[in-house]
């Protein structure tokens, strides 16, 4: 893949509370939990670099000093410029992205949520950057989910499909299955036009009492447009123990030595 449409700046919101992964997250930030020996955050950094990132902005929390400590180790952020900003209170993903505003100098920037782990032939964000090309529409990674699960995701209202691209005419956060406009769910990769900051700045709290990025994207559709991108890869929700277990097994299966250990363990268990 060429880097003709490289993304220079990527934002990593990592200030969430991680309540679904307690008690582990009482000691270790969710984003530093590993797949075997590699933290989720490291996979996310490598995906950003693969998409062309030169500047990495981490929106963290004073309650999670381990994140900045991890980033201070030589080599973990390649040769990128690194900025760590503080989200004083976990007011929601939209608010976390807004915290990065003064450090985003480009017209477009990427966002990676490290707890959504995606394995594929090419990094998801690089796929999206290539598909977006010269467009300045906001873009979100989407995948089909079971109808009964729509209330766990942002769900798009598709207008039309062109290959992997799905033009959206609406998007709603966590709709009940009977109200969901489709079964295409937003997962944790975005390429946003910097104009989104204006929407986020006056965005009121939505689902769960949080400032939702989804709500700001919905308000931006008329001005900016919104494209879903059906990525090539397998996503694991590593924000939950079961998703983390699935991702760990998938990761082990794909790695030589670990695959042998996995087969050995499974044969003991059989
Ligand atoms: P989640 O929605 O998974 O929230 O955030 P969470 O608070 O971390 O997890 P639970 O629900 O309590 O278990 C998705 C991503 O957005 C970040 C998180 O750190 C995670 O990377 N986030 C979320 C923030 O940075 N700030 C927020 O206010 C909320």
């Amino acid at each position: 893949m060429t880097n003709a449409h490289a993304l220079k700046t990527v934002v990593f919101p990592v200030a969430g509370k991680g309540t679904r992964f307690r008690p582990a997250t009482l000691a270790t930030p969710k984003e530093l939990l590993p797949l075997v020996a590699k933290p989720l955050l490291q996979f996310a950094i490598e995906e950003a670099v693969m998409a062309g990132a030169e500047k990495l902005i981490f929106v963290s929390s004073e309650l999670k000093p381990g994140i900045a400590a991890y980033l201070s180790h030589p080599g973990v952020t390649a040769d990128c410029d690194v900025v760590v900003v503080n989200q004083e209170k976990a007011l929601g993903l939209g608010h976390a992205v807004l915290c990065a505003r003064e450090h985003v100098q480009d017209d477009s920037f990427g966002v990676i949520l490290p707890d959504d782990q995606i394995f594929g032939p090419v990094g998801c964000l690089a796929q999206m950057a290539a598909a977006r090309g010269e467009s300045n529409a906001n873009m979100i990674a989407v995948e089909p989910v079971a109808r009964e699960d729509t209330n766990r995701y942002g769900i798009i209202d598709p207008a039309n499909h062109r290959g992997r691209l799905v033009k959206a005419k609406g998007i709603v956060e966590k709709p009940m299955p009977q109200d969901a406009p489709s079964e295409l769910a937003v997962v944790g990769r975005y390429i946003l036009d910097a104009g989104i900051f204006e929407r986020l700045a006056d965005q009121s709290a939505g689902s769960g009492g949080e400032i939702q990025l989804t709500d700001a994207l919905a308000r931006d559709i008329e001005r900016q447009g919104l494209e879903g991108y059906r990525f090539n890869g397998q996503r694991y929700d590593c924000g939950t123990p079961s998703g983390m277990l699935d991702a760990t097994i998938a990761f082990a299966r794909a790695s030589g030595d670990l695959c042998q250990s996995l087969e050995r363990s499974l044969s003991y268990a059989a």
Side-chain angles (χ1 to χ4, degrees):
M1 162 150 325
T2 72
N3 265 358
H5 304 299
L7 273 179
K8 295 218 164 17
T9 303
V10 175
V11 174
F12 303 82
V14 291
K17 295 182 188 142
T19 44
R20 286 167 297 164
F21 233 115
R22 284 189 183 159
T25 48
L26 297 177
T28 306
K30 173 172 69 174
E31 299 79 6
L32 292 181
L33 295 174
L35 295 184
V36 191
K38 193 196 272 198
L40 296 175
L41 189 58
Q42 191 62 47
F43 285 96
I45 291 168
E46 289 171 12
E47 184 179 328
V49 170
M50 209 186 295
E54 294 170 4
K55 181 173 186 177
L56 312 178
I57 305 173
F58 299 87
V59 181
S60 188
S61 159
E62 282 173 354
L63 302 172
K64 298 168 81 170
I67 300 263
Y70 181 77
L71 295 171
S72 71
H73 286 283
V76 300
T77 52
D79 292 328
C80 296
D81 291 337
V82 173
V83 180
V84 182
V85 294
N86 185 41
Q87 184 187 24
E88 276 184 24
K89 246 182 142 185
L91 297 177
L93 176 59
H95 181 262
V97 172
L98 181 61
C99 290
R101 182 177 195 166
E102 67 174 291
H103 300 285
V104 174
Q105 264 98 40
D106 303 317
D107 292 341
S108 294
F109 62 100
V111 177
I112 296 183
L113 308 189
D115 52 352
D116 264 340
Q117 177 63 39
I118 301 176
F119 293 128
V122 176
C124 183
L125 202 64
Q127 292 179 42
M128 291 169 70
R132 189 169 181 260
E134 301 299 322
S135 160
N136 58 6
N138 290 318
M139 179 178 267
I140 50 188
V142 295
E143 73 170 6
V145 296
R147 167 92 18 196
E148 64 261 30
D149 289 338
T150 57
N151 60 357
R152 294 173 41 206
Y153 298 93
I155 301 287
I156 63 167
D157 187 359
N160 62 61
H161 296 248
R162 281 168 295 128
R164 291 188 175 277
L165 291 171
V166 188
K167 192 176 178 59
K169 58 179 189 282
I171 180 170
V172 273
E173 186 63 27
K174 300 188 173 69
M176 294 308 289
Q178 64 274 19
D179 302 325
S182 76
E183 291 157 15
L184 276 180
V186 180
V187 306
R189 304 291 184 275
Y190 307 77
I191 300 179
L192 303 175
D193 180 84
I196 195 71
F197 290 126
E198 280 166 45
R199 300 283 172 273
L200 287 170
D202 63 6
Q203 184 61 54
S204 47
S207 172
E210 297 193 337
I211 296 174
Q212 299 286 357
L213 179 55
T214 304
D215 293 339
L217 287 169
R219 288 169 61 224
D220 219 20
I221 286 185
E222 212 147 292
R223 187 184 66 96
Q224 206 64 42
L226 182 62
E227 293 278 359
Y229 177 77
R230 293 181 59 148
F231 56 92
N232 180 11
Q234 178 70 41
R235 179 192 68 103
Y236 298 91
D237 178 2
C238 293
T240 66
S242 66
M244 181 65 115
L245 181 62
D246 290 344
T248 303
I249 291 170
F251 179 64
R253 274 213 173 110
S255 332
D257 291 356
L258 293 174
C259 188
Q260 285 177 11
S261 303
L262 180 66
E263 278 169 8
R264 219 176 20 249
S265 322
L266 291 177
S267 69
Y268 293 154

